[in-house]
Amino acid sequence: MGSVGVLILGAVLGAFICAKARVAIGAVAFSLIALVLFIATPVGAGLPDAISTFISAFDQAATPALNGAGPSTGSGQ
């Protein structure tokens, strides 16, 4: 797995080439491949948890506003 960086770079380059050629499905496919390869590395292993935490925080902040309730009591206001 030592050459995963080269594979990620190749996938990003492929996505860029497809985007310049206006081949949307190719750009999306190469981008997804690059994302999967990045998550497989130790550096990107925390990415799913970070996204989950962000979405959870956004959901907790947006739910009272969408339900018509006032601010929660734990917000310090």
Side-chain angles (χ1 to χ4, degrees), residues 38-76:
F38 178 71
I39 290 175
T41 65
V43 174
L47 186 63
D49 289 335
I51 292 172
S52 173
T53 302
F54 173 76
I55 291 174
S56 176
F58 185 79
D59 181 45
Q60 289 175 356
T63 299
L66 295 174
N67 289 337
S72 63
T73 58
S75 65

Side-chain angles (χ1 to χ4, degrees), residues 14-47:
F16 179 75
I17 291 170
C18 286
K20 289 294 272 184
R22 297 184 182 191
V23 182
I25 192 70
V28 169
F30 276 113
S31 297
L32 289 176
I33 290 169
L35 182 64
V36 168
L37 289 173
F38 178 71
I39 290 175
T41 65
V43 174
L47 186 63

